[in-house]
Amino acid sequence: MAALAGVSRGTVSKALNGTGRLRPQTRQRVLEAAESLGFQPSPLARGLISGRTYTVGLVTTDSIGRFSAPVLLGAEDALGAGRISVLLCDTRGDAIREQHHLRVLLARRIDGIIVAGHHTGPRPPLPGPLTVPVVYAMDPSEDPRDASVVPDDTAGARAAVRHLIDSGRRRIAHVTGPEQHHAAIVRAASALTVLREAGLPLASGRVHFGEWSEAWGRQALHTLLRAAPDCDAVFCGSDQIARGVADALRDLGRRVPQDVALVGYDNWSVMATACRPPLTTVDMNLGELGRVAALRLMEAIGGRPSTGVRALPCRLVIRESSGPADL
Amino acid sequence: MAALAGVSRGTVSKALNGTGRLRPQTRQRVLEAAESLGFQPSPLARGLISGRTYTVGLVTTDSIGRFSAPVLLGAEDALGAGRISVLLCDTRGDAIREQHHLRVLLARRIDGIIVAGHHTGPRPPLPGPLTVPVVYAMDPSEDPRDASVVPDDTAGARAAVRHLIDSGRRRIAHVTGPEQHHAAIVRAASALTVLREAGLPLASGRVHFGEWSEAWGRQALHTLLRAAPDCDAVFCGSDQIARGVADALRDLGRRVPQDVALVGYDNWSVMATACRPPLTTVDMNLGELGRVAALRLMEAIGGRPSTGVRALPCRLVIRESSGPADL
């Protein structure tokens, strides 16, 4: 190739790797020669020259469940579909396993790490000293100097409750997951704020904290209707809970949305579309979240690190479960 | 370290990498010196010496959904939780994207590839010539000389229908996915064989092929009850379909399992446990499938390749939906 372009081998290397000082014409000549030969520099060869491995570690904590899978795919897309490869490590939520994976990743001289969680609650940073940039996706680092990307759950819950108020609901209840879970706490606090701003009470007088399950949705609906039989809407902290609430309402002969409107959270397609009727819900845009995390990581690898938590907008997906009340 | 052990650098390398001919005492001395220095050979250094990268490519086709995620985790476990690293590539079912990922993986000098599908139907082999071993998991290669690991769906469906017959059911129907899907065809054929062996008819006279969805389960149940109002059991090709059938039976006031017994397929926990009543179902042991695929790949990398399709047993998980009939 050097012969074809009429330059030295060192010049070829500089041209193909975008390093060193070359005249634009020279670089162009080398690239054309490379192309005419069908030459693609191997990642290993590139790595030996640049000191980079074009490999990123993706550490997940939830056995690649429905929260980390879309984050992972979004990140993979942003990393150029193979231009930068993804080394996958799942920690199954175990700190020892996480440390082991971290050692292996660093020994492999990866260029950076994305840590993808599934709780949305703050987590301890990876144990240092780290020699590569890290971006935390979904579960932010407790250290504000780290770079984190999270869904804006406060705005997501706000959009859900505003939508119910705007469609004429006045006796809105909230059923959600465990009282200690960050996602449940943030969404509940936001729902209460919106109701207070609108001068509306919380139906049944309290947030129904419980589990992220359909069974809890069914059970909570009965409890809440005993305290607030005139409840005309339920905002649920997850689609699974909303599905349970929908089934319990159906059993009681209450119509959704005419008698009680329903909004879920997650836009988990198998739940939201199989629900009767299909569920209005909040989508956390997890693919976009993974993409932004990967872009922040690449900026840091490129020498432009950033710090702090970046909250990305959620999106309200309107389906039949939240139509107007039957007045 | 060489100084500490009193040997040459070449000897250190041989000892740490388990290569060359060394006296056991010498190897021991080096290993002790290495340990006292907290030395761990880097994977890159190991790779330069052994010609291996201790990296395996995992190519998935379903956007890392609920079928490939457990396969992937099982494989990761078997690969020694980080001793061999996993480079993840998702093809989103696109052949061009698959070829691109394949080129990148080969350029990275991976030691082998696992291709994890989600249909269970045969797929074309990766385009050759391939320089590394490949094992196909879930979707077998069309080439019988390749190594594939699949769930034994014939035995899985057999266990489901035998269980219904053994608990006294005599008018068993079958509702499943699309007529062109390999998984639907194999399970239906096996169900028909078992019924024929038992001298029982198929309730409603035909297999109800449709979609892998709850909505289809609900719809099919109504159709099938019109043709066979005395049907006393439904074997479903997926848990989602079974869930739809359960909800439709509930709407009609038919009791599960007293009036109609129900068996699903997949043991997809969120579906099977939220179903009312909880669902008896067939578990394809996908984690074990991933583990076996990884072990076969490691054997091939170690110079002991095998060929052909290996079918792994499924497991019937019995819950309330298939209790005895109310006679």
Side-chain angles (χ1 to χ4, degrees), chain A residues 28-69:
Chain A
Q28 188 57 32
R29 206 157 69 232
V30 174
L31 292 178
E32 279 164 12
E35 203 169 313
S36 75
L37 294 169
F39 178 78
Q40 283 194 311
S42 95
L44 294 180
R46 271 193 295 158
L48 286 174
I49 295 160
S50 66
R52 284 183 53 184
T53 55
Y54 295 89
T55 311
V56 159
L58 210 148
V59 178
T60 57
T61 58
D62 73 340
S63 299
I64 312 156
R66 64 201 167 85
F67 294 114
S68 62

Side-chain angles (χ1 to χ4, degrees), chain A residues 40 42-44 46 53-55 63-66 69 72-74 76-77 80-92 97 100-101 103-104 107-109 214-215 218 240 243 247-248 250-251 268 270-271 273-276, chain B residues 40-44 46 53-55 63-66 69 72-74 76-77 80-90 92 97 100-101 103-104 107-109 214-215 218 240 243 247-248 250-251 268 270-271 273-276:
Chain A
Q40 283 194 311
S42 95
L44 294 180
R46 271 193 295 158
T53 55
Y54 295 89
T55 311
S63 299
I64 312 156
R66 64 201 167 85
L72 202 156
L73 290 175
E76 198 210 16
D77 248 358
R83 209 170 55 77
I84 297 180
S85 293
V86 174
L87 275 173
L88 185 74
C89 309
D90 192 89
T91 67
R92 281 95 160 154
R97 204 176 165 103
H100 167 72
H101 277 306
R103 274 196 304 275
V104 172
R108 283 187 177 274
R109 307 271 187 276
E214 294 187 52
R218 295 194 291 258
Q240 277 175 282
R243 178 99 194 256
D247 281 343
R250 188 184 183 84
D251 289 349
W268 186 17
V270 288
M271 281 294 152
T273 61
C275 187
R276 292 185 288 171
Chain B
Q40 281 195 312
S42 93
L44 294 179
R46 269 193 298 158
T53 55
Y54 296 89
T55 311
S63 299
I64 312 152
R66 63 201 170 82
L72 201 157
L73 291 174
E76 197 209 17
D77 248 0
R83 208 171 55 78
I84 297 180
S85 293
V86 173
L87 274 173
L88 184 75
C89 308
D90 192 90
R92 280 94 160 155
R97 204 177 166 102
H100 167 72
H101 278 306
R103 276 197 303 276
V104 173
R108 284 188 177 274
R109 306 270 187 278
E214 292 186 53
R218 296 194 292 257
Q240 277 175 282
R243 177 97 195 257
D247 281 344
R250 188 183 183 84
D251 289 349
W268 185 16
V270 288
M271 280 295 150
T273 61
C275 187
R276 292 184 288 172

Side-chain angles (χ1 to χ4, degrees), chain A residues 13-28:
Chain A
S13 161
K14 282 182 200 164
L16 293 181
N17 291 287
T19 56
R21 293 178 51 170
L22 290 180
R23 284 190 307 160
Q25 301 95 305
T26 309
R27 195 179 298 276
Q28 188 57 32

